Amino acid sequence: MSTIAVLGAGPGLGMSVARRFAKEGYAVGLVSRSADRHPGYLEELSPSGVRAVAVAADLRSAGGAARALAEITSKLGPIDVVYHGPGAHDLSAASVGILETGSDDIRRAVAETVEPAAEVAGLVLPAMRSRRSGAVVYVSGLSALVPLPFLGPYAPASGALRTYARTLAAAAAEDGVHVGSLVVGGLIERGDIHRMLTDLTTPTAYATLDPDELADAVWRLASGEEQELVFDVLTQPGR
């Protein structure tokens, strides 16, 4: 049985990815910062009949990723696919526009965004390259492709993450490993931010993305059908 590690398991895209891969028979390892929701997530996956575990870990803390991935491996076996989709650590920083963003702000945003991605790659790619199979899918924001000044330091950080994923893909392909880039521009339905905003106003006030559709995209990226997929309802509504 193959195993996926879902790094950034939340009620929106993270769990849609978990269900999509469970449908294909994958064992599922869920990782999020808090264990509060884990019983509900595991119950949600139980009808699929696949093995599933949940680990509470902060991927941005020292040793967090290594501990989480080691626990998943010990319980489910070697990890074949990693979905890397943790959200921003401090969304309040995104309220600072790019003109007010300083070098320290950018340094922190890149540390929160790119450093965990590189740490995860360092932990899983050696075994995948040795087996000549496996996949890592990274999620970045639309500001990696489109100027979005209101995102402040997270705009260049998203660009750096996308560039890292694309460059890693070019290097790992010769070893049979797929590295995919999913670029998301829009509010993801059922996610925490979507729920928070729709509690304050009407759901139709925001252009949204279906997490199940995005999960299908993650599947295509992990299987090597595509190297990058872009979903943009911010600047191109109706796409």
Side-chain angles (χ1 to χ4, degrees):
M1 178 181 289
S2 299
T3 297
I4 180 173
V6 178
L7 308 183
L13 180 52
M15 282 305 295
S16 284
V17 170
R19 288 191 299 271
R20 179 66 178 84
F21 279 76
K23 178 182 175 183
E24 302 293 336
Y26 276 67
V28 178
L30 304 171
V31 180
S32 63
R33 287 196 291 265
S34 171
D36 294 349
R37 297 172 174 173
H38 288 175
Y41 292 161
L42 294 175
E43 183 178 355
E44 190 175 337
L45 292 173
S46 62
S48 67
V50 301
R51 291 185 297 158
V53 299
V55 181
D58 186 347
L59 301 180
R60 298 175 179 90
S61 66
R67 182 178 62 80
L69 292 171
E71 185 170 343
I72 291 170
T73 300
S74 69
K75 294 180 177 178
L76 300 179
I79 295 171
D80 301 280
V81 177
V82 173
Y83 162 81
H84 188 274
H89 189 67
D90 180 10
L91 289 174
S92 64
S95 64
V96 178
I98 196 66
L99 294 177
E100 293 75 42
T101 294
S103 59
D104 286 344
D105 299 317
I106 293 176
R107 191 176 298 112
R108 281 191 296 271
V110 170
E112 293 174 6
T113 304
V114 184
E115 288 183 13
E119 181 181 6
V120 167
L123 291 166
V124 301
L125 284 184
M128 290 180 178
R129 293 174 64 202
S130 177
R131 297 194 304 266
R132 299 195 62 81
S133 67
V136 182
V137 177
Y138 290 106
V139 181
S140 59
L142 186 65
S143 57
L145 296 173
V146 177
L148 297 175
F150 68 90
L151 288 178
Y154 288 106
S158 286
L161 177 58
R162 174 183 179 259
T163 298
Y164 176 71
R166 298 282 286 172
T167 307
L168 204 61
E174 64 186 38
D175 295 321
V177 178
H178 306 303
V179 179
S181 167
L182 177 64
V183 181
V184 177
L187 194 60
I188 299 175
E189 295 170 10
R190 302 196 297 271
D192 287 328
I193 298 175
H194 177 257
R195 290 178 177 180
M196 177 186 70
L197 292 176
T198 53
D199 283 345
L200 299 174
T201 183
T202 58
T204 55
Y206 303 96
T208 61
L209 290 164
D210 181 351
D212 293 338
E213 183 179 354
L214 296 177
D216 280 333
V218 173
W219 173 261
R220 289 159 58 195
L221 291 165
S223 64
E225 294 177 31
E226 307 276 357
Q227 280 198 349
E228 180 170 78
L229 290 168
V230 179
F231 290 78
D232 176 12
V233 293
L234 287 178
T235 67
Q236 300 185 48
R239 276 194 65 179

